Amino acid sequence: MSSVAVLTQESFAEHRSGLVPQQIKATLNSEEESDPPTYKDAFPPLPEKAACLESAQEPAGAWSNKIRPIKASVITQVFHVPLEERKYKDMNQFGEGEQAKICLEIMQRTGAHLELSLAKDQGLSIMVSGKLDAVMKARKDIVARLQTQASATVAIPKEHHRFVIGKNGEKLQDLELKTATKIQIPRPDDPSNQIKITGTKEGIEKARHEVLLISAEQDKRAVERLEVEKAFHPFIAGPYNRLVGEIMQETGTRINIPPPSVNRTEIVFTGEKEQLAQAVARIKKIYEEKKKKTTTIAVEVKKSQHKYVIGPKGNSLQEILERTGVSVEIPPSDSASETVILRGEPEKLGQALTEVYAKANSFTVSSVSAPSWLHRFIIGKKGQNLAKITQQMPKVHIEFTEGEDKITLEGPTEDVGVAQEQIESMVKDLVHRMDYVEISIDHRFHRHLIGKSGANINRIKDQYKVSVRIPPDSEKSSLIRIEGDPQGVQQAKRELLELASRMENERTKDLIIEQRFHRTIIGQKGERIREIRDKFPEVIINFPDPAQKSDIVQLRGPKNEVEKCTKYMQKMVADLVENSYSISVPIFKQFHKNIIGKGGANIKKIREESNTKIDLPAENSDSETIVITGKRANCEAARSRILSIQKDLANLAEVEVCIPARLHTSLIGTKGRLIRAIMEECGGVHIHFPVEGSGSDTVVIRGPSSDVEKARKQLLHLAEEKQTKSFTVDIRAKPEYHKFLIGKGGGKIRKVRDSTGARIIFPAAEDKDQDLITIIGKEDAVREAQRELEALIQNLDNVVEDSMLVDPKHHRHFVIRRGQVLREIAEEYGGVMVSFPRSGTQSDKVTLKGAKDCVEAAKKRIQEIIEDLEAQVTVECAIPQKFHRSVMGPKGSRIQQITRDHNVQIKFPDREENPVHSAEPAIQENGDEAGEGREAEPGSPRRCDIITISGRKEKCEAAREALEALVPVTIEVEVPFDLHRYIIGQKGSGIRKMMDEFEVNIHVPAPELQSDVIAITGLTANLDRAKAGLLERVRELQAEQEDRALRSFRLSVTVDPKYHPKIIGRKGAVITQIRLEHDVNIQFPDKDEGSQPQDQITITGYEKNTEAARDAILKIVGELEQMVSEDVPLDHRVHARIIGARGKAIRKVMDEFKVDIRFPQTGAPDPNCVTVTGLPENVEEAIDHILNLEEEYLADVVDSEALQGYLRPPVHEEAKGPSKGFVVRDAPWTASSSSEKAPDMSSSEEFPSFGAQVAPKTLPWGPKR
């Protein structure tokens, strides 16, 4: 008998239902008769976790052996672009602008992933990840588009160009990828031998080196051509080219014998000169021998049999040559001759002739008649049928000619006969059981017949077991051919014609819908377009690919349905257009929260009532503009509502100013800079210009009254100024003239501006029209400037050619560094062309071509340069080698600056690897000069210390002084040793900051030296500042040390440990307040430390502050000593009500009366005893308050118990047995006892009320959580 658990509503439910005892008994009996379900049946358990894990692990084990690691095919390379070679150097726009666009384009084009970062030296580091070929392509693009490009030319002999290009241009492509350059090689018909290389400086050097290396390799090789009669070439090559191969291997020479099809007699030898001579001698010997010994015979062989004599790839001819040593000459295929010539030694010719006839007669040709449409069935799927024949007879060649009703067989006579029989039987069978039909269907419908991915046509083929041949679109043919089983052919024909007739009734219509609406019409996850398709199921709607940027939406289906769908979609688009009107409203930032309203109430109401979408800028954004989108009328209404809120909140004024529309753009300024400046200057007023093209002249100013008036005056003044000075004239001049017109340092153009008062604007580098020069100002000033500029341009258009004499020794100065000096002259003097004579010629004539003024100015400049060169001297400056790097500066920047400032050339000596001089004196040999071989004088500078400066004497002297000023000097500063670690700072941050700030090197001695001396090395100009900075830091540290000593004053105060928790306060609140208020540290004794006095509190800080903190602690202790504790009896049944949810109620009482109230713990001897602690008067008041609460709450408890007593059933009814509710067997709570008693619902322990304290009860299914 299993134990039964009973859950019941008790007798109160019985009273309400009006059941009498007899009815209850009957009900019980009927329930007992039906067997109650078990607990597990009623409440099935969840699956075990372990079981899940075991089952989950099984497949993992099964797969684990099969998984193999796959090597990554992705590589990562880092490229560095130095600052001086960066094309885009705008530091403010890193990660945006043109540079970022280019990187995105490169990523899309190559498939590589790019990451950009700026190095400390402002160079650009680019990390490229991807597959090898993608990385190499990306690198080439990076160099071409992000790095400044230079170009250079390298001259190598014309015949070496093909070796640079390589086979199919592969070598050139590899070279370009490897060096990231563009290499241009002149065309074969171009006589130039100059190869042009474009790229970065480093890439150009690499590419130039590689090209010269290829040329040098070719220079070592010789080429020789030998004339040998064509007939003797087979003897020189030998059977299967073995003889010539042996000679090539032995001599290392490349021998090129023209193939039989090429009618050339010369044999070309390439290789090292000595080996080449050996190879030529050997071949000449073979040729002479064969010429003496061989003779020829001519025989007639049918033209059709020539190919059998030749054999596949000429193998038969080689075979005859190998066996007999006889060469067989076959006439060309385009010749009608049937004469075959045999050439060889007389005794071998007979054997060779026999073999020729044997080869000629070994093959036969036959044909089988078969309709051309059956050919593919004979061949079979993927050539299966034909493969059976060819596998049996591999030497038989079967040829099918398209459009001809025959099959040609070729091969050994016996095999051809067998194959012919098999094919004839196949043809006979196919003719008997196959049929075909051709139908005509307009080619426009062909792709619809085929269906998406061939769905329609494949279904017809599979269903009727036929083959359907539809011509490709390019043929524009309407003929469709169906082949297969006769019955299937007819059924397929009928279905295709039905489909075609249905399509003829269909219509295709193109609907123009702006692309921006396509996504809206399609809807999220295609919901809206699905609705349209469900509404018009017979219409196919095709949207263009987003990448095509097309507005055409194609509809196809029955004519009437397409028309209905078109109207429906046009209405939808009209609604979208109407609802997409947008308006921007500038609202002062401080009023945005008022427009939003509490919890977004205001903005929500405006949105709902106006039926618009309102977007506010982000809270952290500087924007003040609110964007309203919807129908125009609704947008205007929403705008008025928002502006009225702003107007109500602030004393705002609105003024309309009339300014001609043509001046609006100039008043707004580039990217709105001008108008923004006025708005900011006038207290942030809003100035609203009408929409461009509206023709309105009204400008609205909105804001505080005083600011609006100020803005109005400024705007009108600016408009008046623009109107008087806004006369504009455009003139055109070639871009190369612009620099000449501007003049050196802008001198010429400044002169025109000063004399006329007009403003002259030249085009910027990014402007499309580079010829356009704009003159702005008053009309008379503009006309005057126009006349002056046009006169200058006219002179520049007058091209002349002149010459001057320049000593050849100076030519190199003008053409070195890829002609940099000449380029600078051309840029500065209106693109004048300066031509120096070619190197190697001793001519001193230099030609200049360009505008007359430009030519004269260029001549004058060249003369000045020559005078500088003539007056050039060389000055030596001795600076120890160890300082050279410091003098040069980062990337040679300092030396470059001196070179530019003083117009000199500076050359540093080669670095001496081992500067230690030999101890032994050099021995003077016979013939040595007296000074040679000796060591330098002890006082004289070493060669590696001497820097050479070239230029005009006075400039060289100035440059030398500048160099000497760059030599670092070391000074020593006394700093107390104990401060060194603070000067160095955490991880050296402090000393690094000083070195960066003062541009010096600061050397702090090692700690073990205990030295007070710090060495500062740097430029003299920086040393004083650095020393002052270091001493200032020392003073700061010393002041901090003194302050630290003052702050470390300690004071102890004795406080009874029982008061410590009260001084600390709840979560340390009280003690934290004292610490912060008095800026001290307060340390309480450690309870675990037995040796430490438990009543001592230590206070650390300034002496004055520690005393104040001590007084604050003693004040708290004084208050605590005045406090009393009283026990008050309080019925335990009301404790939970007094404490309240999470102790809120009791905390409120304690805060109100400034007391501490402690309730007894569970299991305490006296559950009613409550302790109240505080000042006597506060304790009394608190006890009165909680006793009043007890009285109030106790009345509720008594009422509740009386109700519970009423709810319990009478004793006599209990005897009869309670009413059974839902009954289950084998319940967990009945496992320990066999009684059927249900849980007591009236018990507060088994069914506790919320907020009441209940003794914990152990449950069978685990502890309470």
Side-chain angles (χ1 to χ4, degrees):
M1 179 79 182
S2 60
S3 60
V4 179
V6 182
L7 303 176
T8 176
Q9 286 282 5
E10 297 296 295
S11 57
F12 186 70
E14 292 166 14
H15 284 298
R16 291 188 65 183
S17 61
L19 289 173
V20 290
Q22 290 80 3
Q23 288 171 317
I24 295 165
K25 191 173 181 182
T27 310
L28 282 170
N29 291 338
S30 65
E31 283 178 2
E32 281 170 1
E33 284 171 12
S34 60
D35 201 18
T38 65
Y39 182 81
K40 282 191 178 178
D41 289 341
F43 307 104
L46 292 168
E48 290 292 325
K49 189 177 181 183
C52 298
L53 289 171
E54 283 168 21
S55 61
Q57 284 166 1
E58 280 177 10
W63 283 97
S64 59
N65 296 333
K66 294 181 183 178
I67 297 169
R68 291 178 184 172
I70 297 169
K71 287 185 181 177
S73 60
V74 173
I75 65 157
T76 301
Q77 286 191 15
V78 179
F79 308 121
H80 188 73
V81 182
L83 174 62
E84 60 271 15
E85 291 184 16
R86 279 180 58 192
K87 195 176 278 187
Y88 302 98
K89 296 182 184 175
D90 189 353
M91 304 304 171
N92 298 326
Q93 293 187 348
F94 182 70
E96 55 184 79
E98 197 63 31
Q99 189 167 263
K101 285 181 192 169
I102 288 167
C103 288
L104 280 171
E105 282 175 29
I106 293 171
M107 283 162 70
Q108 286 167 0
R109 207 173 68 77
T110 62
H113 178 70
L114 269 64
E115 284 184 24
L116 276 74
S117 61
L118 271 182
K120 280 186 180 178
D121 61 0
Q122 295 301 318
L124 193 64
S125 291
I126 303 160
M127 187 169 79
V128 187
S129 306
K131 296 198 173 172
L132 180 62
D133 57 340
V135 169
M136 295 310 287
K137 283 177 186 170
R139 177 177 177 240
K140 190 178 175 185
D141 278 7
I142 287 162
V143 168
R145 301 183 68 183
L146 294 184
Q147 218 165 339
T148 52
Q149 303 289 296
S151 63
T153 56
V154 57
I156 63 168
K158 188 78 178 174
E159 57 269 21
H160 294 175
H161 287 193
R162 62 194 182 92
F163 298 105
V164 176
I165 295 166
K167 191 176 180 181
N168 297 327
E170 286 174 7
K171 194 162 189 177
L172 183 64
Q173 285 171 12
D174 286 348
L175 191 58
E176 286 184 333
L177 271 178
K178 194 163 75 174
T179 61
T181 56
K182 174 73 179 166
I183 302 171
Q184 290 173 294
I185 296 174
R187 295 174 66 81
D189 52 2
D190 188 343
S192 171
N193 64 353
Q194 298 281 341
I195 293 175
K196 188 179 179 184
I197 307 166
T198 309
T200 62
K201 190 178 177 183
E202 184 190 354
I204 288 169
E205 287 301 318
K206 280 185 189 174
R208 191 171 180 277
H209 173 73
E210 292 289 339
V211 169
L212 290 173
L213 210 63
I214 293 164
S215 180
E217 281 176 17
Q218 297 308 318
D219 277 337
K220 292 177 188 174
R221 302 170 73 82
V223 177
E224 192 168 328
R225 290 174 170 77
L226 181 67
E227 288 288 337
V228 175
E229 286 179 53
K230 187 80 179 171
F232 293 96
H233 285 190
F235 298 113
I236 290 164
Y240 302 102
N241 289 327
R242 282 184 202 140
L243 184 57
V244 78
E246 284 171 19
I247 296 169
M248 283 163 71
Q249 199 168 357
E250 287 170 19
T251 62
T253 304
R254 188 177 168 197
I255 303 169
N256 184 18
I257 299 173
S261 57
V262 177
N263 191 23
R264 276 169 55 200
T265 56
E266 67 174 13
I267 297 172
V268 181
F269 300 79
T270 312
E272 301 290 337
K273 291 178 182 176
E274 289 178 12
Q275 288 94 326
L276 185 139
Q278 290 176 20
V280 171
R282 283 181 66 175
I283 282 175
K284 275 184 179 175
K285 188 180 175 185
I286 294 165
Y287 172 49
E288 295 300 333
E289 278 180 13
K290 291 295 176 186
K291 204 169 182 182
K292 285 177 190 173
K293 292 181 181 179
T294 56
T295 183
T296 60
I297 59 167
V299 294
E300 296 295 317
V301 177
K302 284 183 185 176
K303 190 75 180 174
S304 60
Q305 292 178 323
H306 284 192
K307 59 182 174 182
Y308 307 130
V309 176
I310 296 166
K313 295 181 183 177
N315 280 348
S316 297
L317 294 178
Q318 297 296 332
E319 206 179 301
I320 295 167
L321 181 62
E322 187 178 30
R323 285 185 191 164
T324 63
V326 174
S327 164
V328 180
E329 296 168 25
I330 307 286
S333 55
D334 54 357
S335 167
S337 171
E338 294 187 340
T339 305
V340 175
I341 297 167
L342 284 72
R343 187 183 302 274
E345 294 173 15
E347 62 272 16
K348 303 275 182 76
L349 287 172
Q351 185 190 343
L353 185 61
T354 307
E355 290 210 14
V356 166
Y357 277 124
K359 298 279 183 194
N361 296 318
S362 62
F363 280 74
T364 186
V365 178
S366 178
S367 65
V368 175
S369 179
S372 61
W373 66 274
L374 285 178
H375 286 187
R376 54 200 197 84
F377 296 104
I378 295 165
I379 294 165
K381 195 173 185 180
K382 294 182 181 176
Q384 285 175 351
N385 297 346
L386 212 58
K388 293 173 188 173
I389 300 169
T390 52
Q391 280 167 7
Q392 291 172 8
M393 292 151 281
K395 290 186 180 178
V396 175
H397 173 69
I398 304 167
E399 189 180 333
F400 294 83
T401 309
E402 196 173 344
E404 288 187 16
D405 293 341
K406 68 170 184 176
I407 302 166
T408 308
L409 290 82
E410 189 178 312
T413 311
E414 290 180 9
D415 289 356
V416 166
V418 175
Q420 187 173 351
E421 284 178 19
Q422 289 186 14
I423 289 171
E424 281 175 346
S425 67
M426 283 171 73
V427 170
K428 194 174 180 181
D429 175 55
L430 287 167
V431 167
H432 178 68
R433 62 184 179 84
M434 297 288 278
D435 193 9
Y436 78 92
V437 70
E438 288 180 346
I439 56 173
S440 181
I441 295 173
D442 195 323
H443 71 272
R444 290 181 293 120
F445 303 135
H446 287 187
R447 62 193 184 94
H448 304 301
L449 291 175
I450 293 165
K452 193 174 184 180
S453 304
N456 290 350
I457 207 71
N458 288 339
R459 180 186 58 76
I460 292 168
K461 284 178 181 178
D462 295 342
Q463 190 176 340
Y464 303 119
K465 304 288 186 288
V466 294
S467 169
V468 183
R469 300 189 69 189
I470 297 174
D473 285 347
S474 55
E475 289 184 15
K476 305 285 185 189
S477 170
S478 59
L479 208 64
I480 295 175
R481 186 182 176 98
I482 310 166
E483 298 167 355
D485 177 67
Q487 190 179 349
V489 166
Q490 291 305 318
Q491 287 173 329
K493 175 187 172 183
R494 191 161 50 250
E495 184 162 342
L496 284 172
L497 289 171
E498 278 175 15
L499 278 171
S501 66
R502 206 180 307 152
M503 281 173 202
E504 281 176 0
N505 294 327
E506 281 191 352
R507 182 177 172 197
T508 301
K509 186 167 184 177
D510 289 343
L511 194 60
I512 306 298
I513 299 173
E514 284 184 62
Q515 198 186 29
R516 64 194 173 106
F517 296 128
H518 289 189
R519 285 184 71 178
T520 315
I521 293 168
I522 293 165
Q524 196 173 12
K525 294 181 182 177
E527 287 174 4
R528 292 187 73 175
I529 197 67
R530 206 176 296 121
E531 285 176 21
I532 299 169
R533 283 176 175 150
D534 292 345
K535 201 176 183 77
F536 304 99
E538 293 181 50
V539 179
I540 297 166
I541 305 167
N542 289 323
F543 283 86
D545 190 334
Q548 292 177 357
K549 306 284 183 191
S550 172
D551 294 342
I552 297 169
V553 177
Q554 196 177 68
L555 310 179
R556 186 169 57 80
K559 188 176 178 181
N560 294 339
E561 290 296 305
V562 166
E563 288 300 328
K564 286 178 189 174
C565 185
T566 302
K567 285 177 184 175
Y568 181 81
M569 288 185 76
Q570 282 173 339
K571 187 176 181 297
M572 183 186 276
V573 172
D575 290 345
L576 286 173
V577 170
E578 192 179 0
N579 289 321
S580 66
Y581 180 77
S582 181
I583 191 168
S584 297
V585 189
I587 297 292
F588 291 98
K589 194 78 178 178
Q590 64 264 34
F591 302 132
H592 282 203
K593 60 182 179 183
N594 305 93
I595 287 160
I596 294 166
K598 192 173 182 180
N602 288 358
I603 200 76
K604 192 177 179 184
K605 190 178 178 185
I606 296 168
R607 280 174 180 152
E608 286 172 0
E609 289 180 7
S610 63
N611 193 22
T612 56
K613 181 187 173 191
I614 303 171
D615 294 317
L616 286 96
E619 201 172 333
N620 55 358
S621 165
D622 293 334
S623 173
E624 295 185 333
T625 306
I626 295 174
V627 180
I628 308 167
T629 311
K631 290 184 179 178
R632 184 164 189 156
N634 295 352
C635 288
E636 292 292 346
R639 178 169 172 262
S640 302
R641 289 277 298 273
I642 290 168
L643 287 171
S644 67
I645 291 171
Q646 179 179 251
K647 201 168 184 179
D648 293 344
L649 290 166
N651 179 24
L652 298 179
E654 190 176 292
V655 172
E656 290 184 355
V657 184
C658 190
I659 295 169
R662 62 191 172 82
L663 297 178
H664 289 185
T665 309
S666 60
L667 287 173
I668 292 166
T670 312
K671 294 182 181 176
R673 284 179 191 157
L674 195 56
I675 203 69
R676 205 159 45 243
I678 294 170
M679 283 158 67
E680 286 169 8
E681 199 179 317
C682 301
V685 296
H686 290 149
I687 301 174
H688 180 70
F689 282 84
V691 180
E692 194 176 352
S694 64
S696 173
D697 293 344
T698 306
V699 178
V700 180
I701 309 169
R702 191 181 298 110
S705 304
S706 57
D707 293 336
V708 166
E709 187 56 33
K710 188 179 175 184
R712 187 181 75 83
K713 285 177 182 175
Q714 278 205 30
L715 203 60
L716 287 170
H717 176 69
L718 192 64
E720 192 180 340
E721 201 175 280
K722 291 276 181 189
Q723 205 155 4
T724 56
K725 293 186 179 178
S726 65
F727 188 76
T728 305
V729 166
D730 291 336
I731 60 171
R732 293 189 171 273
K734 291 177 185 176
E736 55 265 31
Y737 293 165
H738 291 188
K739 275 201 174 181
F740 186 75
L741 292 170
I742 293 164
K744 196 168 185 179
K748 285 188 179 179
I749 207 68
R750 202 180 297 114
K751 194 178 173 185
V752 176
R753 280 176 184 161
D754 292 347
S755 65
T756 63
R759 188 173 168 217
I760 300 159
I761 301 166
F762 283 85
E766 62 272 11
D767 290 347
K768 286 183 181 176
D769 195 346
Q770 288 290 307
D771 292 356
L772 200 68
I773 300 169
T774 308
I775 309 167
I776 303 170
K778 293 181 180 178
E779 188 173 356
D780 54 345
V782 168
R783 294 293 183 202
E784 181 62 30
Q786 182 183 5
R787 276 194 295 275
E788 287 192 29
L789 282 176
E790 282 175 348
L792 284 169
I793 293 163
Q794 197 172 357
N795 288 341
L796 291 172
D797 285 334
N798 181 18
V799 177
V800 296
E801 191 170 322
D802 202 350
S803 63
M804 64 184 294
L805 300 178
V806 177
D807 195 317
K809 69 181 180 182
H810 299 312
H811 288 192
R812 188 172 179 278
H813 174 79
F814 290 93
V815 296
I816 57 168
R817 299 196 302 279
R818 300 187 293 278
Q820 188 179 340
V821 177
L822 293 179
R823 275 205 309 278
E824 286 171 4
I825 291 169
E827 283 176 16
E828 197 172 335
Y829 300 105
V832 67
M833 287 173 61
V834 184
S835 302
F836 276 76
R838 293 178 71 84
S839 59
T841 61
Q842 288 303 307
S843 172
D844 58 358
K845 186 180 178 183
V846 175
T847 308
L848 297 92
K849 189 176 181 181
K852 189 176 180 182
D853 292 351
C854 296
V855 167
E856 288 303 322
K859 277 172 73 176
K860 190 178 175 185
R861 177 69 187 127
I862 291 168
Q863 203 61 48
E864 284 172 11
I865 293 168
I866 292 164
E867 283 171 17
D868 282 350
L869 292 171
E870 294 283 357
Q872 199 170 64
V873 295
T874 300
V875 173
E876 290 182 349
C877 176
I879 293 173
Q881 191 184 44
K882 64 180 179 179
F883 298 131
H884 286 189
R885 184 175 290 179
S886 174
V887 169
M888 285 179 183
K891 294 187 177 177
S893 58
R894 289 176 182 163
I895 227 68
Q896 287 168 11
Q897 188 62 40
I898 293 170
T899 306
R900 282 196 297 271
D901 291 349
H902 301 286
N903 194 19
V904 292
Q905 296 295 319
I906 300 172
K907 187 176 186 297
F908 279 76
D910 293 333
R911 194 169 181 79
E912 191 178 72
E913 294 299 329
N914 185 14
V916 180
H917 292 289
S918 172
E920 296 177 16
I923 299 164
Q924 185 178 348
E925 295 182 8
N926 293 340
D928 283 351
E929 289 185 16
E932 288 180 358
R934 294 182 187 169
E935 284 192 356
E937 300 262 344
S940 65
R942 296 177 300 160
R943 288 186 62 81
C944 62
D945 295 342
I946 295 169
I947 300 168
T948 310
I949 309 166
S950 303
R952 279 182 176 268
K953 189 176 181 181
E954 62 277 9
K955 290 186 177 179
C956 287
E957 290 298 333
R960 181 162 65 179
E961 286 172 16
L963 280 175
E964 286 170 349
L966 291 174
V967 176
V969 180
T970 302
I971 59 167
E972 293 181 345
V973 183
E974 289 277 342
V975 174
F977 174 73
D978 59 329
L979 297 180
H980 287 193
R981 62 197 182 98
Y982 301 113
I983 286 166
I984 292 166
Q986 194 174 14
K987 293 181 181 177
S989 60
I991 203 156
R992 254 199 318 274
K993 186 183 174 187
M994 289 177 74
M995 290 197 295
D996 291 344
E997 187 180 343
F998 302 117
E999 295 180 20
V1000 292
N1001 183 39
I1002 301 172
H1003 176 68
V1004 179
E1008 57 268 17
L1009 297 175
Q1010 299 278 313
S1011 171
D1012 290 345
V1013 176
I1014 290 179
I1016 307 174
T1017 307
L1019 302 181
T1020 314
N1022 297 338
L1023 287 177
D1024 293 337
R1025 287 193 310 117
K1027 184 179 177 181
L1030 183 59
L1031 292 172
E1032 180 61 34
R1033 179 70 180 135
V1034 169
R1035 280 194 291 275
E1036 284 174 15
L1037 290 169
Q1038 285 172 340
E1040 282 175 19
Q1041 272 186 335
E1042 289 169 14
D1043 186 59
R1044 211 175 292 122
L1046 290 170
R1047 288 189 67 166
S1048 58
F1049 180 79
R1050 293 167 72 88
L1051 182 69
S1052 292
V1053 58
T1054 305
V1055 176
D1056 192 322
K1058 69 179 181 182
Y1059 297 133
H1060 288 189
K1062 292 290 181 184
I1063 293 166
I1064 292 166
R1066 186 181 174 82
K1067 293 182 181 178
V1070 177
I1071 202 69
T1072 304
Q1073 179 68 23
I1074 295 169
R1075 280 175 180 150
L1076 294 171
E1077 196 174 320
H1078 301 288
D1079 189 22
V1080 291
N1081 184 31
I1082 302 170
Q1083 196 72 36
F1084 283 81
D1086 192 348
K1087 289 179 183 178
D1088 300 332
E1089 190 66 52
S1091 61
Q1092 194 176 349
Q1094 293 296 303
D1095 59 354
Q1096 293 293 316
I1097 298 173
T1098 308
I1099 309 168
T1100 311
Y1102 293 115
E1103 187 177 356
K1104 184 174 68 175
N1105 293 359
T1106 55
E1107 287 170 356
R1110 178 195 62 191
D1111 295 343
I1113 290 170
L1114 290 174
K1115 185 184 175 187
I1116 293 167
V1117 171
E1119 287 174 359
L1120 290 169
E1121 284 173 344
Q1122 292 175 17
M1123 287 184 179
V1124 294
S1125 286
E1126 282 192 33
D1127 293 339
V1128 55
L1130 206 68
D1131 196 307
H1132 70 276
R1133 291 175 295 174
V1134 298
H1135 286 191
R1137 289 284 299 276
I1138 291 170
I1139 292 166
R1142 295 184 181 177
K1144 276 185 183 177
I1146 200 68
R1147 265 202 306 278
K1148 189 177 178 185
V1149 173
M1150 289 195 291
D1151 292 343
E1152 188 181 339
F1153 296 100
K1154 295 182 175 58
V1155 294
D1156 182 57
I1157 303 171
R1158 297 284 168 191
F1159 285 81
Q1161 299 257 339
T1162 308
D1166 185 0
N1168 298 330
C1169 183
V1170 175
T1171 305
V1172 185
T1173 308
L1175 294 171
E1177 60 273 17
N1178 292 350
V1179 168
E1180 290 295 330
E1181 288 176 12
I1183 289 170
D1184 289 345
H1185 181 74
I1186 58 174
L1187 287 172
N1188 289 338
L1189 288 174
E1190 180 199 27
E1191 193 177 334
E1192 186 185 327
Y1193 295 154
L1194 205 56
D1196 292 345
V1197 170
V1198 171
D1199 292 347
S1200 177
E1201 284 178 352
L1203 179 63
Q1204 290 294 334
Y1206 174 72
L1207 290 172
R1208 284 199 194 96
V1211 178
H1212 67 272
E1213 284 186 7
E1214 282 181 10
K1216 293 177 185 177
S1219 168
K1220 287 193 177 184
F1222 180 72
V1223 181
V1224 290
R1225 289 180 292 125
D1226 302 331
W1229 56 83
T1230 60
S1232 58
S1233 70
S1234 59
S1235 67
E1236 293 186 13
K1237 187 186 174 189
D1240 184 3
M1241 289 174 68
S1242 64
S1243 167
S1244 62
E1245 285 187 357
E1246 291 187 357
F1247 295 95
S1249 61
F1250 289 111
Q1253 288 188 330
V1254 181
K1257 185 176 179 182
T1258 308
L1259 301 175
W1261 48 80
K1264 284 176 79 176
R1265 291 194 177 95

